[in-house]
Amino acid sequence: MSRIRLEWNVEAQKIDKSDSEDPIAKRARRRRALRLIMLIGIVLAVLSFAVLVVRQRLLDVQGQLEQLLRETVRAEAAALRIGDLNTFLAVQDSASETWRQRQQAVFREYSDIKARHDIDLTGEILDLEIDGQRGRVVVEEIINGVRYAQVWFYRNLGGGWRHVAPDFSFWGEERRLETDATSILYSDLDERFAQALSQAASGWSRRGCQILRCDSSPRLSIVVVKDMAQPVSRATDGTASLEVLSPSSGRMSFDSPFDQNRQGLVAEALADHLISRRTDGLQVVFPQDAVYLRMSVASYLVKEFLGADGGDSLVDSLASLYGEEKVAELVDHLAAAASMAVLEGVIGQPLEEANLDWRDFVKWRLNTEADLIESEAEGDLLNLYDTGDEDIWQAAYQRYQSRTILRPRAVLDQVITRGPNDSPQLRATVIADGDANDEERLVLFNLVDGVWKRAN
């Protein structure tokens, strides 16, 4: 019993020793900790308040800058609307005389548009972006009921916002839109355009490869360029298949940024790209028939891309009569100086029996003759004539000497008959540019060794 009591006493002594801190000192320590926590809280609160004040101030300044920019845009649009040149020039960058002259030309352009079209310069701001002292505004204008957008750039030059030349560094971040058929590099400002371009070009690329029987569908690389001379071009540095000018660099259809005109240009460039790829970059020789054949294949592809109704080219009739697979066969057999004789190997029968549509070819051939006369290419011109006949040679030479040019406005009809020596002869009725009362002219071509040679 005494042993149990002794152990209890030992345990009690341990408890007393662990709780031996002075209560006053303990309370003082707690008060110091509490004051430190409160001080830290006050400092954090002050810092947070300061941050909020600064942030609000920045927002107020940003709001003021935005409001001033909106007022400047509205004033500029109103000046264009009422024809106030002085007010219009007052908001332009006065430090650049080149820009002021350019904007004077823009003012005259708007005056011409107002005279010829129903235009509403609403001044409605469709999008606005401010980056420091730079501003970018997408402004609405309505022409003949169609909504367009112009992108205007501004700088805060101390005395307020001034309209400045396009700032290519302010097009937004670069982005890339990838599909299985296309890769498009563009900037934020062209987001909607890139989406529409990607959808269309992907379908066109697949359709073109279906027609040309590509071994594998090529991945089309397109770069949307902010500034270049042509709206669409084949890339020359090997970094892309096509380069397309940003529609934001000029007047853009707001509802259809990939407008019909730009669609046609991209379709033509894509067709040329696919043919070059299929022919390993073959360069056809002017004025050989190969030039027309390649051009006609490209025209056929473009019509297929755009969903155009029919066509009057030679390749249109080839595909219609003998099957679309013949288009690829023609491309595969195309040589730099190929003549129309290449078609006989594709369709397996003589040209005079093929029932093809030669009207577009006749138009091209006559325009080619006119070009050769104007460039004084006598040898190339005479080579297009059936010079085995002395009378035809004399007629061709006289035409060259007198600079007599026939440029057809339309080829009305065609028929293949037999010529004087019982050889196939193509007879076409044309109307030439400049003819009074739509005078009809008969143009003859003899088939000589698979080549249509001019015979009158």
Side-chain angles (χ1 to χ4, degrees), residues 206-243:
R206 285 189 288 267
R207 178 63 178 134
C209 269
Q210 180 184 15
I211 295 171
L212 297 181
R213 299 187 303 182
C214 303
D215 295 332
S216 61
S217 182
R219 197 156 186 262
L220 184 66
S221 176
I222 302 176
V223 177
V224 180
V225 181
K226 305 174 186 70
D227 183 36
M228 67 178 187
Q230 302 296 327
V232 179
S233 71
R234 292 274 305 280
T236 57
D237 59 1
T239 59
S241 305
L242 301 179
E243 292 180 340

Side-chain angles (χ1 to χ4, degrees), residues 74 100 105 174 187 312 341 356 367 422:
R74 283 195 288 267
R100 289 178 65 83
E174 279 196 348
S187 299
D312 59 359
L356 295 170
N367 279 315
D422 202 37

Side-chain angles (χ1 to χ4, degrees), residues 112-133:
D112 292 340
I113 293 175
K114 287 189 292 184
R116 293 182 287 109
H117 301 280
D118 178 18
I119 180 171
D120 184 6
L121 299 170
T122 66
E124 178 74 20
I125 295 175
L126 303 173
D127 184 57
L128 184 146
E129 186 77 23
I130 293 177
D131 177 25
Q133 302 304 311

Side-chain angles (χ1 to χ4, degrees), residues 415-437:
V415 62
I416 295 179
T417 60
R418 290 288 169 180
N421 60 354
D422 202 37
S423 64
Q425 185 175 78
L426 173 62
R427 304 167 65 91
T429 305
V430 305
I431 297 177
D433 286 341
D435 280 351
N437 302 318

